[in-house]
Amino acid sequence: MNFQQRKQLILQTVDEKGAVNVPELAELLQTSAMTVRRDLVQLAAAGLIYRTHGGAMRVRDAMVVPFANKSAMNVAHKEAIAQRAAQEILDGDVIFMDCGSTVAHLCPFIRHKRITVITNSLPVISELLNSSVTLNLIGGEVDKERQAIHGSMAGEHIARYHADRAFIGVDGISLASGLSATGEQEAQLTLALARQASRVYLLCDSSKLETDKYLFFAPLSLVDVLITDAQINPDLADAYRQAGVDLIY
């Protein structure tokens, strides 16, 4: 099989699966791992794939979506999810809020609450600055696109605190694979928050259910409660409940 034939098969496979690793491609193409890696380097240089550690993924999945763009997607669903999630928060609670766009929609519904919010989200800080909420901004490096704080120092900051509840978002969630993200930084921070909370709430519109992204970082069991929108398929809702997740929609 020549390069052009391998190229077509690689691109087709990456497009269908979203992400693949070198051993998979070597078996598919009946060639060596070295040849596959060389092909991936060429395809990545041409902008046709995104090269990952150990494989490749679709370019569109690897792109970091700016917070403003994410926040403008599925707004009605996100607001309904956030409004329902706010009902879970009690006066006196300490809560974590990550930098997810759905999580940020909590702000209007919790401004009046006597709670403490620990967050890495700059929009959340801005929205709650002149409210009844006590704020704790996680320290570290600023990601301008995500409008969030990340890095090793952020993880150390989180480890010093305990929260009654953590409100997190993800890029993808599935029964088979668990939680997935488009980048390592957000995945690491989500894990850090979940480890320090008594109860973990995933705020996720139904378009993300049964989708897998670039990085699988945690099993479904990380989540205690999944709050989504009313568009969820009833059979799928039952499947998530059977998997041990409390489901609210």
Side-chain angles (χ1 to χ4, degrees), residues 67 71 82 89 95-111 115-138 146-149 167-168 193 203:
F67 178 86
S71 188
I89 302 170
I95 69 170
F96 289 130
M97 293 174 63
D98 76 2
C99 62
S101 58
T102 306
V103 173
H105 279 80
L106 270 172
C107 292
F109 305 109
I110 62 174
R111 291 181 55 83
I115 61 175
T116 297
V117 169
I118 304 172
T119 185
N120 72 320
S121 170
L122 299 179
V124 166
I125 292 292
S126 177
E127 287 294 322
L128 296 178
L129 197 56
N130 297 305
S131 72
S132 298
V133 176
T134 299
L135 296 171
N136 182 325
L137 176 61
I138 294 167
R146 295 291 198 186
Q147 296 184 36
I149 311 296
F167 293 88
I168 64 171
L193 295 177
L203 310 188

Side-chain angles (χ1 to χ4, degrees), residues 85-86 88-90 93-100 103 106 110 116-120 138 158 161-170 179 189-204 222-227:
E88 300 289 307
I89 302 170
L90 307 175
D93 274 354
V94 175
I95 69 170
F96 289 130
M97 293 174 63
D98 76 2
C99 62
V103 173
L106 270 172
I110 62 174
T116 297
V117 169
I118 304 172
T119 185
N120 72 320
I138 294 167
I158 293 165
Y161 295 91
H162 176 268
D164 300 289
R165 311 170 204 281
F167 293 88
I168 64 171
V170 293
L179 311 185
L189 190 127
T190 297
L191 286 172
L193 295 177
R195 280 195 294 264
Q196 299 299 112
S198 295
R199 198 157 174 81
V200 178
Y201 294 78
L202 173 59
L203 310 188
C204 177
L222 183 78
V223 176
D224 295 303
V225 183
L226 169 60
I227 304 181

